[in-house]
């Protein structure tokens, strides 16, 4: 049994949350006669119930429903299990209440199966497997959060029900913390901040494809620059390969068969083509370009080409789920005896980079899925190599059974942001299949051809997703080295404009990103705007500064740091940049 921090088992919490869903359903049926229940499971942090009601719910109705739920909770109504025959159950949902959803669930059960119902209070029952808390008084502090539409059985051809979401916790402190976290997450929403800080936007002419504005692209360039230094130090070689390739390539790689729905396909001169959703197959052609010897291995080929994936429009979500993505991709070709060192190197690379951002990585080993290609024995070896590399790094990891890619097992990484939320970033995959399919070979020490192993790996994952994570992690206040504008010089009056230029110039020469705000606004307004834009430093200049050759320094969090000489300012900024804070 697993436990969370408070010592309460997850199972107990799940049972309580699911029980809260029943209390919600009962409250809704009492307040809104004629409401028909769909399903009401517990979910992460809470629960929901799908309801077909003659009433159209809005968030304004939630307090009233919460009040009714509280009445039920205070009454300590027992949850009592009853066993009914299939016929009794069908009769109930035909004659007592007309509910086609519950009937559909019951129809799917075996004729001789005893069907469990739970009675809450005297005259309210719900079809359910259980388990539940012993009585409604055991439901902890809760809050209803939102209402949205949900198709019955998730099928857009079936009726749309109303889904009421709630959260429930063991104590009020946990509830408050969670509500604070939700509010904070809304404030940090990267789609909202992306517009406010002029980083990027989306337009309906190109769903799932961001338009990067100068400030957003600036941040990406800094991320690239950090990565490029590290790639160079670690012996990677950069390549770039075509966007559009013939179906032959995708058939050889297996994508045509296993990833068909994920690709944008088109015909060119009567031949089938697809835009690349991944770089891997073409990377193997670069490996094959010339004869490779064992001395050439490991060969680490990195690339950041744009990829296109045919994500359904309904699933697109800001920068987190896009159709056009830019991976910081690499494929490492190595000998079997080099696999563990290469994976070890990748894991170390990832930890070094995430450390720069204060993101805490967690590792997951995903093993062979049902829909896999290749020899099971080869899979076992690949999984053993990944385990060995994780263990050699002394990393704790969880195993996700059956969640590997169709061509090999993988190590998934997620990172925890400043709010403690996990974000899935990328995977490191060990692949014995693609070298086979593309007939990759190197000449070994014995003069004979051998198959290399292929490692697919990314550090950021995609720049799009990583940007979303960083924007929310920092709440838009990027550290100094990443900030699109690092310094705003604020002349107090028009007569200080030329001195402001003099202050800015040496900083620009030193490679800082500096703007002079010479708008005809008050200094107070300019400072406020720079603060809203999360600019790390403001250099306010007036008469006294002009005479003394100084600037009055304001830091976005620390506030006024007093007047400093231009040399001092430069050293201060250089310190921040070097420390990447
Ligand atoms: Zn239940
Ligand atoms: Zn790959």
């Amino acid at each position: 049994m697993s436990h969370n921090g408070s010592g309460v088992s997850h199972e107990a919490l799940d049972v309580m949350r699911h029980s809260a869903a029943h209390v919600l359903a009962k409250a809704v049926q009492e307040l809104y006669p004629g409401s028909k229940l769909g399903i009401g499971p517990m979910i992460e942090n809470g629960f929901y119930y799908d309801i077909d009601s003659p009433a159209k719910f809005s968030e304004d109705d939630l307090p009233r429903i919460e009040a009714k739920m509280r009445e039920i909770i205070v009454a300590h109504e027992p949850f009592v299990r009853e066993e009914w025959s299939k016929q009794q159950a069908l009769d109930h949902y035909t004659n007592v209440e007309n509910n086609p959803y519950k009937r559909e669930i019951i129809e799917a059960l075996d004729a001789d199966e005893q069907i469990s119902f739970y009675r809450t209070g005297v005259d309210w029952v719900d079809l359910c497997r259980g388990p539940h808390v012993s009585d409604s008084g055991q439901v902890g502090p809760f809050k209803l959060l939102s209402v949205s539409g949900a198709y019955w059985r998730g099928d857009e051809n079936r009726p749309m029900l109303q889904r009421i979401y709630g959260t429930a916790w063991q104590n009020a402190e946990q509830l408050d913390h969670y509500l604070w976290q939700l509010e904070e997450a809304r404030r940090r929403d990267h789609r909202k901040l992306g517009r406010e800080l002029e980083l990027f936007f989306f337009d309906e002419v190109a769903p799932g494809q961001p338009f990067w504005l100068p400030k957003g692209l600036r941040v990406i360039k800094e991320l690239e620059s950090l990565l490029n230094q590290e790639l160079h130090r670690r012996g990677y070689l950069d390549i770039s390969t075509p966007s559009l390739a013939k179906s032959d390539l995708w058939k050889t790689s297996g994508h045509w068969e296993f990833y068909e729905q994920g690709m944008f396909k088109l015909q060119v001169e009567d031949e089938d083509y697809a835009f690349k959703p991944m770089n891997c197959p073409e990377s193997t052609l670069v490996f094959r370009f010339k004869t490779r010897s064992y001395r050439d291995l490991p060969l680490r080929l990195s690339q950041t080409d744009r990829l296109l994936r045919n994500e359904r429009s309904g699933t697109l979500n800001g920068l987190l789920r896009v159709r056009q993505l830019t991976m910081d991709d690499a494929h490492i070709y190595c000998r079997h005896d080099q696999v563990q060192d290469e994976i070890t190197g990748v894991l170390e690379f990832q930890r070094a980079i995430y450390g720069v951002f204060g993101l805490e990585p967690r590792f997951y080993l995903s093993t062979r899925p049902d829909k896999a290609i290749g020899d099971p024995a080869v899979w076992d070896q690949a999984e053993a190599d990944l385990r060995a590399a994780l263990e050699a790094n002394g990393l704790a990891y969880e195993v996700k059974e059956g969640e590997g890619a169709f061509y090999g097992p993988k190590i998934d990484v997620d990172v925890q942001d400043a709010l403690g939320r996990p974000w899935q970033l990328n995977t490191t995959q060990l692949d014995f299949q693609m070298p086979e399919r593309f007939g990759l070979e190197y000449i070994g020490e014995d003069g004979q051809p051998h198959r290399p192993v292929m490692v697919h790996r990314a550090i950021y994952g995609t720049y799009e997703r990583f940007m979303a994570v960083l924007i929310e992690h920092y709440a838009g206040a990027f550290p100094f080295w990443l900030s699109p504008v690092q310094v705003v010089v604020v002349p107090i009056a028009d007569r200080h404009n030329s001195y402001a230029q003099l202050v800015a110039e040496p900083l620009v020469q030193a490679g800082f990103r500096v703007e002079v705000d010479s708008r005809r606004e008050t200094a107070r307004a300019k400072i406020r705007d720079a603060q809203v834009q999360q600019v790390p430093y403001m250099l306010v200049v007036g008469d006294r500064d002009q005479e003394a050759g100084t600037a009055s320094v304001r830091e976005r969090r620390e506030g006024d740091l007093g007047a400093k000489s231009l040399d001092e300012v430069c050293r201060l900024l250089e310190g921040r940049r070097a420390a990447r804070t």
Side-chain angles (χ1 to χ4, degrees):
M1 185 182 276
S2 56
H3 291 79
N4 65 16
S6 65
V8 175
S9 76
H10 283 306
E11 285 84 352
L13 198 54
D14 289 348
V15 165
M16 185 276 276
R17 285 171 175 159
H18 168 66
S19 304
H22 282 278
V23 173
L24 164 63
K26 183 175 181 184
V28 168
Q29 286 199 312
E30 286 184 9
L31 289 170
Y32 306 93
S35 294
K36 297 169 189 175
L37 304 177
I39 56 164
M42 66 85 198
I43 51 173
E44 194 180 7
N45 303 320
F47 57 91
Y48 68 75
Y49 218 117
D50 285 346
I51 300 168
D52 179 359
S53 178
K56 173 83 186 84
F57 300 127
S58 80
E59 307 216 339
D60 297 338
D61 300 313
L62 301 182
R64 184 167 170 232
I65 301 171
E66 284 173 352
K68 181 55 99 179
M69 288 174 71
R70 263 180 222 108
E71 283 176 26
I72 298 167
I73 289 169
V74 171
H76 285 267
E77 296 182 353
F79 278 79
V80 180
R81 184 185 166 96
E82 298 180 3
E83 297 215 329
W84 296 13
S85 70
K86 184 170 179 176
Q87 196 50 51
Q88 269 178 301
L90 285 174
D91 284 350
H92 176 81
Y93 284 120
T94 310
N95 302 321
V96 181
E97 59 174 286
N98 176 18
N99 184 327
Y101 311 106
K102 297 289 189 187
R103 283 205 301 269
E104 186 177 322
I105 294 170
I106 295 163
E107 298 283 8
L109 303 173
D110 289 339
D112 53 356
E113 202 174 323
Q114 285 295 301
I115 297 171
S116 68
F117 276 69
Y118 279 81
R119 186 171 294 278
T120 308
V122 181
D123 53 1
W124 191 84
V125 289
D126 194 2
L127 168 73
C128 191
R129 278 207 184 83
H132 302 99
V133 293
S134 58
D135 73 79
S136 58
Q138 307 304 311
V139 171
F142 73 97
K143 184 159 178 52
L144 297 181
L145 299 173
S146 60
V147 187
S148 65
Y151 290 108
W152 174 240
R153 304 266 186 191
D155 180 345
E156 56 202 77
N157 300 312
R158 309 291 307 271
M160 188 186 275
L161 280 61
Q162 301 183 76
R163 176 172 296 178
I164 301 178
Y165 283 100
T167 186
W169 296 84
Q170 217 65 43
N171 59 50
E173 195 187 343
Q174 288 173 358
L175 175 66
D176 286 348
H177 178 74
Y178 180 68
L179 295 177
W180 168 82
Q181 219 178 25
L182 276 186
E183 186 53 42
E184 189 61 18
R186 260 193 289 274
R187 190 177 74 80
R188 291 168 181 245
D189 187 312
H190 73 277
R191 291 162 300 188
K192 173 175 161 282
L193 288 176
R195 273 195 175 268
E196 288 171 9
L197 301 177
E198 298 190 6
L199 301 171
F200 67 90
F201 66 91
F202 285 94
D203 189 284
E204 61 187 18
V205 299
Q209 299 162 85
F211 287 72
W212 289 104
L213 292 162
K215 288 179 182 172
L217 199 60
R218 187 69 257 157
V219 179
I220 289 181
K221 298 276 180 197
E222 290 301 319
L223 296 175
E224 283 176 350
S225 158
L226 169 68
L227 196 75
N228 286 340
Q229 287 170 27
E230 291 296 319
L231 286 169
H232 179 73
R233 264 185 357 101
R234 293 161 195 269
Y236 284 82
L237 302 171
D238 251 332
I239 60 167
S240 178
T241 61
S243 291
L244 192 55
K246 290 184 185 176
S247 61
D248 301 5
L249 180 82
W250 309 113
K251 284 173 185 162
T252 305
S253 69
H255 285 86
W256 203 260
E257 185 185 351
F258 290 95
Y259 197 71
E260 196 192 355
Q261 302 85 348
M263 296 199 288
F264 287 110
K265 295 176 177 178
L266 78 167
Q267 289 222 316
V268 181
E269 294 171 352
D270 293 334
E271 281 197 85
D272 287 328
Y273 281 73
F275 283 103
K276 65 175 169 187
M278 298 176 195
N279 293 307
C280 345
E282 291 178 339
S283 171
T284 68
L285 304 194
V286 176
F287 180 90
R288 242 171 37 182
F289 168 71
K290 64 180 185 183
T291 305
R292 307 286 180 181
S293 119
Y294 69 95
R295 271 181 254 106
D296 300 326
L297 305 185
L299 183 66
R300 307 184 185 103
L301 298 178
S302 54
Q303 60 187 126
T304 40
D305 300 321
R306 287 251 166 100
L307 307 174
L308 287 169
R309 292 186 186 171
N310 193 0
E311 303 286 357
R312 294 181 55 190
S313 52
T315 66
L316 299 174
N317 176 16
L319 294 175
L320 292 173
R321 200 168 188 110
V322 287
R323 283 188 176 152
Q324 176 183 275
L325 40 132
T326 320
M327 272 180 85
D328 65 318
D329 206 359
H331 296 94
I332 302 171
Y333 301 88
C334 62
R335 306 189 307 258
H336 283 261
D337 62 299
Q338 294 170 323
V339 164
Q340 210 186 304
D341 278 353
E342 288 308 304
I343 299 290
T344 300
V346 168
L347 294 173
E348 191 272 319
F349 193 168
Q350 290 174 334
R351 290 159 76 202
I353 293 288
Y354 305 147
V356 171
F357 305 96
L359 294 166
E360 201 54 55
R362 290 191 304 201
F363 297 89
Y364 302 87
L365 175 63
S366 297
T367 59
R368 178 164 37 136
D370 295 337
K371 210 175 159 190
I373 52 177
D375 177 357
V378 173
W379 271 86
D380 291 344
Q381 181 57 48
E383 290 175 10
D385 282 338
L386 292 183
R387 273 177 208 276
L390 282 161
E391 277 153 24
N393 271 270
L395 296 174
Y397 63 96
E398 280 176 40
V399 176
K400 293 200 249 179
E401 293 292 347
E403 292 191 29
F406 69 84
Y407 50 83
K410 55 182 185 165
I411 295 172
D412 291 321
V413 180
D414 71 26
V415 292
Q416 272 195 286
D417 73 2
L419 290 187
R421 295 175 299 174
W423 301 84
Q424 226 254 296
L425 278 194
N426 64 50
T427 61
T428 300
Q429 294 173 346
L430 199 47
D431 184 354
F432 295 150
Q433 324 295 345
M434 210 160 307
E436 195 74 37
R437 289 181 165 241
F438 283 93
L440 304 188
E441 286 175 354
Y442 68 92
I443 304 303
E445 223 166 338
D446 56 3
Q448 298 300 309
H450 298 270
R451 280 267 184 274
V453 181
M454 191 172 175
V455 177
H456 309 249
R457 78 103 190 92
I459 308 292
Y460 293 137
T462 69
Y463 280 94
E464 289 81 6
R465 189 177 182 81
F466 199 69
M467 280 293 282
V469 173
L470 289 187
I471 292 167
E472 301 209 4
H473 175 57
Y474 292 123
F478 292 107
F480 181 77
W481 72 279
L482 264 186
S483 290
V485 177
Q486 295 172 309
V487 179
V488 170
V489 185
V490 177
I492 288 177
D494 279 356
R495 65 178 180 281
H496 307 121
N497 282 353
S498 53
Y499 178 64
Q501 293 294 345
L502 279 177
V503 169
E505 189 51 30
L507 299 178
V508 173
Q509 292 307 320
F512 295 108
R513 298 184 286 276
V514 186
E515 280 181 1
V516 176
D517 188 350
S518 50
R519 290 176 303 156
R520 308 196 69 168
E521 296 279 350
T522 62
R524 187 192 294 270
K526 292 177 191 178
I527 290 169
R528 191 192 54 222
D529 289 349
Q531 198 80 42
V532 168
Q533 288 293 306
Q534 308 279 10
V535 177
Y537 285 98
M538 290 144 265
L539 303 179
V540 184
V541 294
D543 290 334
R544 242 176 294 161
D545 296 297
Q546 196 164 335
E547 280 158 32
T550 60
S552 300
V553 182
R554 286 186 67 90
E555 206 271 350
R556 68 183 164 200
R557 289 202 187 90
E558 296 164 51
D560 191 1
L561 302 181
K564 292 185 189 297
S565 75
L566 302 189
D567 275 354
E568 280 178 298
V569 170
C570 211
R571 276 199 301 277
L572 176 71
L573 301 185
E574 273 162 0
R576 280 292 291 268
R577 179 165 63 188
R580 288 213 175 94
T581 54

